Amino acid sequence: MAQSSIEWTEMTWNPTTGCTKISAGCKFCYAEIMTCRLKAMGQEKYKHGFKVVKTHPETLSIPYTWKSPKVVFVNSMSDLFHKDVPVDFIKDVFKVMNDNPQHVFQVLTKRAERLFELHKELKWTHNIWMGVSVENDKVVDRINFLRKTKAKVKFLSLEPLIGALPNLNLKKIDWVIVGGESGHRPRPMNPDWVLDIQEQCEKADVAFFFKQWGGRNKKAAGRLLNGRTYDEMPEIMEIEKGAR
């Protein structure tokens, strides 16, 4: 596990590593850059590089050792529903999440079709938040696959937002995260795209989280929208916090 600087989570847990690029949002993949760095540092877990998907069964015991409730981003360095991750291992990961209801597990994928194919084989407890990444209108069909799953909490990560997303169907969606691209060659995010999504969420009564404007200096660009920050989370999060 590792503490995370990602604004919408507390820490990361990576039972798998490695991935392959699938759509435009992957162009400047954060996980690819980090994997190269960690491999160069000699970290055993990343010795196979980014393009080789590996499972790490030894990591499955880790959530059982956490002494206090956590909010955990699962697979920040991979995609749990990548075709090279065996179904049995996905089930093993879900069993860990099922066994630890005191933690919130945030699972994010771009492989929405495989998620839909497998969702009936998985046990969806309330502490599993399932999300899909949508960076532009070419991949909005991922939302329909997510919507049809048995996940109790469903969310969208619209990051890096590289195109307008008007007329989103937010039915059965609990949470929307928006963020711009950062790094050396970030693609620009039009403020009007962000404002439009925020208004769509407000009308649909969906929690809205604005992560960042991005850019080459994301700290300087900040995360203010309409003169304020938007840090909304799904309602169930508040219930679970209150129960802690």
Side-chain angles (χ1 to χ4, degrees):
M1 70 174 187
Q3 298 300 312
S4 176
S5 60
I6 299 171
E7 288 81 354
W8 46 264
T9 196
E10 293 178 1
M11 57 191 297
T12 58
W13 171 51
N14 285 286
T16 71
T17 53
C19 200
T20 51
K21 298 186 179 184
I22 191 173
S23 61
C26 303
K27 185 174 183 179
F28 301 120
C29 178
Y30 165 84
E32 181 181 30
I33 296 167
M34 281 301 298
T35 296
C36 291
R37 190 175 301 170
L38 294 167
K39 180 182 178 181
M41 293 168 61
Q43 291 212 9
E44 177 74 14
K45 193 174 181 181
Y46 298 93
K47 68 179 182 182
H48 297 286
F50 179 71
K51 294 181 180 178
V52 180
V53 176
K54 288 287 183 182
T55 61
H56 299 277
E58 73 280 4
T59 65
L60 296 179
S61 62
I62 294 175
Y64 296 91
T65 69
W66 299 331
K67 295 181 179 177
S68 59
K70 307 292 185 187
V71 179
V72 186
F73 179 17
V74 180
N75 274 351
S76 62
M77 299 294 286
S78 183
D79 188 328
L80 187 61
F81 291 93
H82 191 283
K83 63 180 178 58
D84 292 340
V85 179
V87 174
D88 284 346
F89 190 77
I90 295 174
K91 290 180 178 178
D92 289 343
V93 173
F94 267 69
K95 184 178 186 308
V96 174
M97 297 191 289
N98 298 151
D99 285 349
N100 287 278
Q102 72 275 27
H103 306 310
V104 171
F105 294 94
Q106 301 160 316
V107 185
L108 186 60
T109 186
K110 288 186 173 71
R111 275 76 177 178
E113 290 187 43
R114 192 173 189 221
L115 163 66
F116 178 68
E117 289 171 7
L118 298 178
H119 80 106
K120 290 183 179 177
E121 300 181 43
L122 305 170
K123 183 179 178 182
W124 293 95
T125 42
H126 283 276
N127 63 322
I128 300 172
W129 297 9
M130 187 67 234
V132 295
S133 296
V134 177
E135 65 268 30
N136 58 27
D137 61 0
K138 294 181 179 178
V139 292
V140 290
D141 59 327
R142 293 173 184 164
I143 304 174
N144 288 328
F145 285 114
L146 172 67
R147 193 182 350 264
K148 295 174 185 174
T149 70
K150 292 180 177 293
K152 300 290 194 299
V153 178
K154 302 179 180 71
F155 72 97
L156 310 180
S157 175
L158 313 182
E159 183 190 15
L161 186 64
I162 55 175
L165 289 171
N167 305 313
L168 284 170
N169 181 352
L170 296 174
K171 186 177 181 182
K172 295 185 178 180
I173 301 301
D174 302 287
W175 189 30
V176 171
I177 303 164
V178 173
E181 193 164 56
S182 56
H184 296 295
R185 292 176 291 169
R187 290 164 285 185
M189 179 172 67
N190 188 323
D192 288 341
W193 303 342
V194 184
L195 289 167
D196 177 56
I197 293 167
Q198 187 271 320
E199 290 174 2
Q200 291 183 60
C201 289
E202 189 171 319
K203 288 178 182 175
D205 196 23
V206 172
F208 176 77
F209 192 105
F210 183 55
K211 182 184 170 191
Q212 63 179 32
W213 285 106
R216 297 189 67 176
N217 187 343
K218 66 178 184 179
K219 287 187 178 179
R223 50 190 302 265
L224 292 178
L225 177 68
N226 293 325
R228 53 162 286 193
T229 57
Y230 287 84
D231 299 311
E232 296 168 3
M233 303 284 270
E235 187 174 354
I236 190 171
M237 179 67 178
E238 301 304 322
I239 293 171
E240 289 176 357
K241 274 184 174 178
R244 293 180 183 183

